[in-house]
Amino acid sequence: MRECSVMIGGKAGEGINTAGLTIASLFNHLGYRVYMYFDYPSLIRGGHNFAVIRAAEEKIGATRDTFDILLALDQNCIDRHTEAIRDDTIVVYDSYQVVNATGHPIDVDRILKEENAPQITKNSAIIGGFCKAAGIAWEILTDVFKTTVPEKYLDVNLRVARRGYDAAPEVIRIEPLGRPTLPVLTGNQAAGLGLVRGGLDTLVAYPMTPTSNLLHFLAEHADDLSVKVIHPENEIGVMLMALGLAYAGNKTAVCTSGGGFCLMTEGLSLAGMSETPVTIVLGQRPGPSTGVPTYTSQADLHFVLNAGQGEFPRFVVVPGDLEEMYYWSAVALGLAWKYQIPSIILTDKTLAEGGYTFDIDASGAIPELPPVFADGVKPYRRYAATEDGISPLAFPPESTAPVKANSYAHDEAGFTTEKAELVAGMQEKVLRKAESLHRELETFRGVEVAGVAGAGIALVCWGSEKAACIEAAARFGVKVVRPLIFAPFPVRQWREAMLGVHRVIAVENNATGQLARLLRQNGFWVDELVLKYDGRPFSVDELERRLAEVIG
């Protein structure tokens, strides 16, 4: 497989994330499939930011340990990534900031002064140098800038990029693959588009890494996508406002991470008792508490599965790539409204903020999941005890009857009660709804199988670790089995996927093996754990080394 890994690094505030996405778009124009990992500390300015862009002929979603090309905006970038620089790594650097490097210098400071350009354009000079060093035609860079740089800043960025282009030598030539281009999106953007596809009316959110960019994306495109975006004072306000909107008939989603979800859990229980639909996009990052807020983790699984007091059904799905993020975001919104339950899309920083080539045709057909509405003829009872547990919906102002929403135990009309038979009857109605949801999800693909069919060893993983596991599995000749639906857990599909497997290895981004624990709770065993919990995802090379220790 032809592939190329590029790293660009500098200080926070120098537009490293934007530069990385631009490089990803350049590869995309050449017909490559791309993945970008963005690494940054929790600082507004300063520190060390870097983006790793990997381009390959086939779909990918993880990085390698070394770089083919390194683009350094300062000396810190060289010093911190020495181990990733091979003898044949091409290094292009800002000669004003880098004093000790071997490679191809570009006098960025002089270019900016002569072009009367702002400091933020310095990464354009380096990107220009990258294109020349990689043998990418100037016309392709121009086309990409026209789609990624705002028009009022386009001219100055093109002038600076051209100076960088002319200052670098051509070292290699990355050949075009001649395939059509695809959009390069982040997981947050794919989630936003999926929610809109599912009928989203309103997103309510308080910014919190790593899902802040979902809020920003939908706010920026609110008019184009016909959605409302509201930013309340905190996460408690977010959840309560979302429930109020849903009570009024507004399809609403929220986004947050573990800390914000903590504050939302009382509202989550209110959604469970009042049977109010709400969809939550939760991006995992290391905890507890603030933890390492700009890095990644898979440690909130059991928190999400058990959050809230009492017993009520919920739908929890864990996408592993952009196509799944798009599809399941739409489905999660639909299921929340059909079954009047909370639905949770559990993602992580790696997927939420990572840049990927997005193929919407590979997402699959999104099913229609219409809510059950009151017929307007019969006397309305908000919590009518139906056979499938789903009570028809009506919204205020309803002319024939009041529409109740009650956090207290209630009767079918929604009036508060403490009578034993009514309390038990409503609990049984809610559990019938959970059984109906479980039956419907049997028609969905809740477990994914990849790798070598019929292999006796299986890697089990979840979320964004999908890509690294699939690449590593090819080397070891094993299969990869991955649940997509976590609640209600697809027991039958999992059992079928594991037929013939005699050894199970769980690969996870947490310290205790949370997927392995969930599997044990459902009667399935894991033999070995391969865990990483330093806030970084597995690279393909690292995972292969760790698996070699286990598999041999």
Side-chain angles (χ1 to χ4, degrees), residues 35-54:
Y35 165 66
M36 188 194 88
Y37 167 74
F38 182 42
D39 188 300
Y40 61 102
S42 182
L43 297 170
I44 302 299
R45 299 190 68 83
H48 177 57
N49 287 13
F50 67 94
V52 179
I53 306 95
R54 185 172 170 226

Side-chain angles (χ1 to χ4, degrees), residues 5-302:
S5 288
V6 180
M7 192 278 273
I8 181 167
K11 298 182 181 66
E14 292 184 330
I16 299 301
N17 190 27
T18 301
L21 290 170
T22 300
I23 293 169
S25 294
L26 285 164
F27 279 113
N28 186 41
H29 268 64
L30 295 172
Y32 289 83
R33 303 299 176 243
V34 299
Y35 165 66
M36 188 194 88
Y37 167 74
F38 182 42
D39 188 300
Y40 61 102
S42 182
L43 297 170
I44 302 299
R45 299 190 68 83
H48 177 57
N49 287 13
F50 67 94
V52 179
I53 306 95
R54 185 172 170 226
E57 293 177 291
E58 306 299 333
K59 180 180 176 179
I60 52 172
T63 61
R64 291 283 186 183
D65 282 352
T66 61
F67 311 128
D68 300 296
I69 301 173
L70 188 147
L71 310 174
L73 274 72
D74 59 16
Q75 185 64 47
N76 195 24
C77 182
I78 300 287
D79 297 341
R80 294 179 66 134
H81 298 281
T82 302
E83 294 182 356
I85 301 174
R86 307 188 305 262
D87 291 342
D88 61 346
T89 297
I90 299 166
V91 180
V92 178
Y93 61 91
D94 177 356
S95 60
Y96 185 72
Q97 296 290 337
V98 178
V99 297
N100 183 19
T102 301
H104 308 287
I106 295 177
D107 191 342
V108 175
D109 187 62
R110 183 169 63 85
I111 291 174
L112 265 54
K113 287 178 180 175
E114 292 178 357
E115 297 294 339
N116 192 28
Q119 284 292 313
I120 193 63
T121 63
K122 63 193 298 185
N123 57 35
S124 292
I126 293 296
I127 290 173
F130 156 70
C131 286
K132 183 66 172 295
I136 299 173
W138 168 252
E139 291 74 20
I140 293 176
L141 176 56
T142 303
D143 289 344
V144 169
F145 268 33
K146 286 180 179 177
T147 60
T148 57
V149 178
E151 187 174 354
K152 64 180 179 180
Y153 304 120
L154 179 60
D155 179 64
V156 66
N157 276 280
L158 282 174
R159 293 200 318 269
V160 170
R162 183 73 213 197
R163 295 287 302 273
Y165 190 89
D166 292 338
E170 180 173 321
V171 184
I172 59 172
R173 181 171 288 273
I174 299 176
E175 297 293 342
L177 296 180
R179 297 192 302 190
T181 61
L182 294 171
V184 177
L185 303 180
T186 66
N188 281 326
Q189 290 172 325
L193 293 174
L195 290 170
V196 171
R197 171 61 180 81
L200 180 73
D201 293 310
T202 305
L203 178 83
V204 190
Y206 184 84
M208 195 167 189
T209 304
T211 58
S212 299
N213 290 336
L214 172 54
L215 167 64
H216 301 157
F217 171 68
L218 288 182
E220 184 179 354
H221 299 282
D223 291 338
D224 299 335
L225 299 173
S226 298
V227 295
K228 295 184 287 294
V229 177
I230 303 174
H231 173 185
E233 72 280 12
N234 58 36
E235 287 86 353
I236 298 173
V238 165
M239 177 59 87
L240 297 181
M241 186 175 286
L243 297 182
L245 285 160
Y247 166 72
N250 198 290
K251 285 190 173 180
T252 307
V254 308
C255 60
T256 187
S257 61
F261 188 65
C262 280
L263 296 171
M264 293 179 179
T265 53
E266 188 171 5
L268 185 78
S269 297
L270 173 57
M273 175 56 91
S274 64
E275 302 187 45
T276 305
V278 64
T279 300
I280 303 156
V281 181
L282 196 161
Q284 297 169 99
R285 65 190 206 188
S289 191
T290 305
V292 195
T294 59
Y295 288 86
T296 199
S297 178
Q298 293 181 319
D300 291 340
L301 174 57
H302 288 270

Side-chain angles (χ1 to χ4, degrees), residues 247-549:
Y247 166 72
N250 198 290
K251 285 190 173 180
T252 307
V254 308
C255 60
T256 187
S257 61
F261 188 65
C262 280
L263 296 171
M264 293 179 179
T265 53
E266 188 171 5
L268 185 78
S269 297
L270 173 57
M273 175 56 91
S274 64
E275 302 187 45
T276 305
V278 64
T279 300
I280 303 156
V281 181
L282 196 161
Q284 297 169 99
R285 65 190 206 188
S289 191
T290 305
V292 195
T294 59
Y295 288 86
T296 199
S297 178
Q298 293 181 319
D300 291 340
L301 174 57
H302 288 270
F303 176 35
V304 163
L305 293 172
N306 298 286
Q309 72 269 36
E311 297 171 303
F312 56 92
R314 69 193 72 191
F315 172 68
V316 179
V317 65
V318 185
D321 59 23
L322 256 60
E323 289 77 17
E324 292 173 358
M325 184 74 93
Y326 175 79
Y327 174 89
W328 284 107
S329 294
V331 169
L333 190 67
L335 290 172
W337 275 80
K338 181 171 182 178
Y339 290 92
Q340 302 163 39
I341 57 172
S343 66
I344 300 170
I345 304 157
L346 187 59
T347 179
D348 54 49
K349 185 264 184 184
T350 303
L351 182 56
E353 294 189 345
Y356 300 76
T357 305
F358 175 53
D359 183 1
I360 192 170
D361 293 335
S363 296
I366 294 171
E368 297 299 324
L369 297 162
V372 179
F373 294 113
D375 58 16
V377 177
K378 301 173 187 172
Y380 184 64
R381 292 175 301 164
R382 172 63 187 93
Y383 299 107
T386 60
E387 187 174 341
D388 60 7
I390 302 172
S391 306
L393 281 170
F395 309 108
E398 169 62 45
S399 60
T400 59
V403 179
K404 306 285 282 186
N406 199 338
S407 69
Y408 214 104
H410 45 258
D411 62 13
E412 290 188 55
F415 290 104
T416 296
T417 184
E418 293 182 345
K419 292 181 179 178
E421 64 275 19
L422 292 179
V423 172
M426 281 293 108
Q427 179 70 69
E428 290 162 3
K429 182 193 93 75
V430 167
L431 294 181
R432 285 201 301 277
K433 190 165 61 173
E435 293 168 1
S436 300
L437 172 65
H438 185 78
R439 283 194 297 274
E440 173 147 20
L441 288 174
E442 284 290 311
T443 65
F444 286 76
R445 192 175 59 200
V447 176
E448 277 281 348
V449 180
V452 179
I457 299 177
L459 305 183
V460 300
C461 62
W462 54 297
S464 64
E465 289 303 334
K466 165 188 177 179
C469 283
I470 289 176
E471 279 200 63
R475 172 179 166 181
F476 293 98
V478 302
K479 67 194 299 186
V480 179
V481 186
R482 179 173 58 92
L484 284 158
I485 299 171
F486 280 64
F489 192 79
V491 172
R492 180 189 61 80
Q493 293 187 41
W494 187 266
R495 183 179 296 113
E496 292 174 357
M498 300 301 284
L499 287 174
V501 173
H502 59 78
R503 188 176 178 194
V504 181
I505 303 167
V507 179
E508 304 190 50
N509 261 151
N510 58 62
T512 59
Q514 296 205 5
L515 172 59
R517 192 192 320 167
L518 178 63
L519 292 174
R520 285 197 299 273
Q521 291 172 353
N522 285 281
F524 304 102
W525 201 254
V526 168
D527 297 289
E528 283 105 0
L529 299 174
V530 176
L531 307 176
K532 185 173 185 182
Y533 39 87
D534 60 1
R536 280 74 175 173
F538 279 108
S539 70
V540 177
D541 302 309
E542 180 185 14
L543 182 55
E544 288 180 347
R545 289 194 298 273
R546 294 284 301 277
L547 289 175
E549 296 171 0

